[in-house]
Amino acid sequence: MANIPLQNAVVSDQENSGQNYMPALISLAVLYFMNGFITCLNDTLVPFFKEGFTLSYADSSLVQFYFFLTYGLMSFPAGMIVEKIGYKNGMVLGFAIAAIGALLFYPAADMHLYYLFLAALFVLAIGIVVLQVASNPYITALGPAKTASSRLTLIQAVGSIGTTVAPIFGAHFILSKLQESGTSSDAVKYPYLGIAALLICIALVVYNLNLPKISTGSGSFQASPAERVSIFSYRNLNFGAWAIFAYVGAEVSIGTFLTNYIADTLSVGVEDANSYVSYYWGGMLAGRLAGSYLLKTIRPSFILTICAASAILLVVLSVSTSGTFAIWSMIGVGLFNSVMFAIIFSLSVQGLGNYTTKASGILSTAIAGGAIVSFSQGYVKDHSTWAVAFMIPVLCYLYIVFFGVNGYKSKAESL
């Protein structure tokens, strides 16, 4: 899944010298794994709630709607909170809030009320947003600056492992219980209790870690008169925010409905269908590792354009064919999704200088595309076919093609 972009982190060389950051890096790897795991587990909850509560596709997509809407509502407030209490305490707070959200699944399951599950997911998502805002700067700070990119790539790869494992876990521990639970939603009760316990344990570990003090560097400069312009005057940022909105929307929308799409296409149960979703997210893991190498030698905007165009081709091929070919075509989109977020973000903030941190907040808010686009696709599917519904992410990828060809350019470059 998409991560909130890194803020500008500053750590003095004196603070960096002589410290062993390996325990902290391992803890952050666990953190990213849990972020990916929890976020991707929503793809299991959608078909589970759809059958358990006899919902329409639009209503079942409210799982993603409320989860990703939180990015739009909480990115800026979370940043303000973290500035006040510090990054380490922010991480602990994020884990605590997420644990409370996971614990709320227990009463929601006992009362079998869909809106209580949505409230629990909203609280859980607040914790995830705070957690990411607080934890991301540590990745650049824990060790030499020259190896920051390799550390980030490794940590994100661990997060991709979480997204790959989550569908398998969901199929065996949640969807497999769907038939025996009947009108009950007990199948999610104990898995989320376990998640809550694990989040609390990780919070305690992070609390006891000796992490470096980090500042955002936001107060270390004064903008020159020439720099005192509106942040929205940057063409690449304006188009980039919508590109983030479109990308996250397409990625989440495909992942959300992939289980039901596979079940309908292959005429299998949702438990069997959900197992395929791990390949969709696994493709992102493979693509991210390959992309970290290719981006060293190939222009990022070119790779972004090719990836978006390939995603369009695969989606169109999938809805135009049938059987296993259609399924693997849709799953293959995950491979090309892998590097899009990182490229869009880097191109969007290019040349912004002192405005980079504010731009990061704007781009974080645009992650709310995961809420809007997935709900839109669900609504279309309720009134039409899968082929028509999947044109929603196709439109998103078309916009990303535009951004990769021209939208990323500054005003000077576009003339």
Side-chain angles (χ1 to χ4, degrees):
M1 303 297 293
N3 295 304
I4 292 180
L6 297 173
Q7 306 291 324
N8 294 338
V10 179
V11 176
S12 68
D13 292 336
Q14 185 177 3
E15 288 173 322
N16 261 332
S17 61
Q19 294 194 40
N20 179 16
Y21 294 124
M22 187 56 64
L25 285 171
I26 293 173
S27 298
L28 286 169
V30 174
L31 181 154
Y32 263 69
F33 177 90
M34 290 304 300
N35 280 354
F37 182 86
I38 291 171
T39 303
C40 191
L41 200 57
N42 291 345
D43 294 344
T44 297
L45 294 180
V46 171
F48 178 80
F49 289 145
K50 185 180 184 302
E51 292 203 15
F53 290 98
T54 318
L55 303 172
S56 66
Y57 282 101
D59 287 340
S60 66
S61 71
L62 289 177
V63 167
Q64 302 287 32
F65 182 85
Y66 280 101
F67 192 90
F68 283 93
L69 180 65
T70 313
Y71 284 89
L73 298 176
M74 290 301 300
S75 291
F76 283 112
M80 294 172 63
I81 292 171
V82 170
E83 281 186 4
K84 288 182 179 292
I85 67 176
Y87 290 114
K88 177 180 174 179
N89 290 334
M91 290 167 61
V92 175
L93 177 64
F95 276 121
I97 296 174
I100 292 171
L103 286 172
L104 289 175
F105 270 68
Y106 195 97
D110 272 349
M111 290 182 272
H112 191 62
L113 294 173
Y114 185 47
Y115 71 86
L116 286 184
F117 279 114
L118 296 179
L121 278 166
F122 188 77
V123 174
L124 180 61
I126 291 175
I128 295 297
V129 173
V130 174
L131 191 62
Q132 290 192 7
V133 168
S135 64
N136 282 336
Y138 278 103
I139 301 171
T140 57
L142 296 174
K146 63 182 180 181
T147 58
S149 296
S150 63
R151 291 195 302 276
L152 176 59
T153 300
L154 177 61
I155 297 293
Q156 287 184 328
V158 174
S160 295
I161 295 173
T163 63
T164 304
V165 171
I168 301 173
F169 177 90
H172 289 287
F173 291 99
I174 297 178
L175 291 179
S176 63
K177 312 294 183 182
L178 190 58
Q179 298 302 321
E180 59 187 73
S181 62
T183 58
S184 169
S185 46
D186 284 346
V188 299
K189 184 188 298 184
Y190 296 108
Y192 274 85
L193 275 181
I195 289 172
L198 187 55
L199 289 172
I200 293 171
C201 290
I202 298 173
L204 292 173
V205 171
V206 172
Y207 180 78
N208 287 286
L209 284 175
N210 182 22
L211 297 177
K213 294 182 179 180
I214 304 171
S215 67
T216 62
S218 57
S220 62
F221 68 89
Q222 288 290 331
S224 66
E227 291 174 315
R228 292 170 188 161
V229 296
S230 168
I231 191 171
F232 296 105
S233 65
Y234 292 91
R235 180 180 186 271
N236 53 318
L237 175 62
N238 292 333
F239 285 125
W242 286 108
I244 290 289
F245 182 96
Y247 165 71
V248 177
E251 175 207 291
V252 171
S253 189
I254 292 176
T256 297
F257 297 109
L258 191 55
T259 296
N260 290 114
Y261 176 67
I262 293 172
D264 289 350
T265 303
L266 298 182
S267 299
V268 297
V270 290
E271 177 190 353
D272 295 329
N274 196 68
S275 299
Y276 283 87
V277 180
S278 62
Y279 294 106
Y280 173 71
W281 296 109
M284 292 190 67
L285 170 60
R288 187 164 284 165
L289 294 175
S292 64
Y293 173 78
L294 294 174
L295 285 168
K296 294 178 181 178
T297 55
I298 305 177
R299 197 158 42 94
S301 59
F302 177 75
I303 292 181
L304 178 65
T305 304
I306 294 300
C307 285
S310 299
I312 294 171
L313 176 62
L314 287 173
V315 173
V316 172
L317 275 175
S318 180
V319 299
S320 301
T321 55
S322 60
T324 55
F325 182 82
I327 299 309
W328 286 107
S329 295
M330 193 67 73
I331 289 172
V333 176
L335 177 65
F336 295 99
N337 279 342
S338 57
V339 295
M340 287 193 201
F341 185 93
I343 295 175
I344 294 171
F345 173 70
S346 62
L347 293 177
S348 299
V349 301
Q350 188 172 343
L352 267 67
N354 294 331
Y355 288 103
T356 301
T357 300
K358 288 185 177 179
S360 175
I362 294 171
L363 296 172
S364 298
T365 304
I367 293 176
I372 307 300
V373 176
S374 59
F375 180 80
S376 299
Q377 183 172 350
Y379 181 83
V380 172
K381 176 61 182 76
D382 285 330
H383 297 83
S384 189
T385 63
W386 280 120
V388 175
F390 273 108
M391 290 304 103
I392 301 292
V394 165
L395 291 175
C396 292
Y397 289 125
L398 278 171
Y399 180 84
I400 296 171
V401 168
F402 155 74
F403 182 77
V405 172
N406 181 270
Y408 76 94
K409 297 179 180 178
S410 66
K411 288 181 178 178
E413 291 174 309
S414 62
L415 294 176

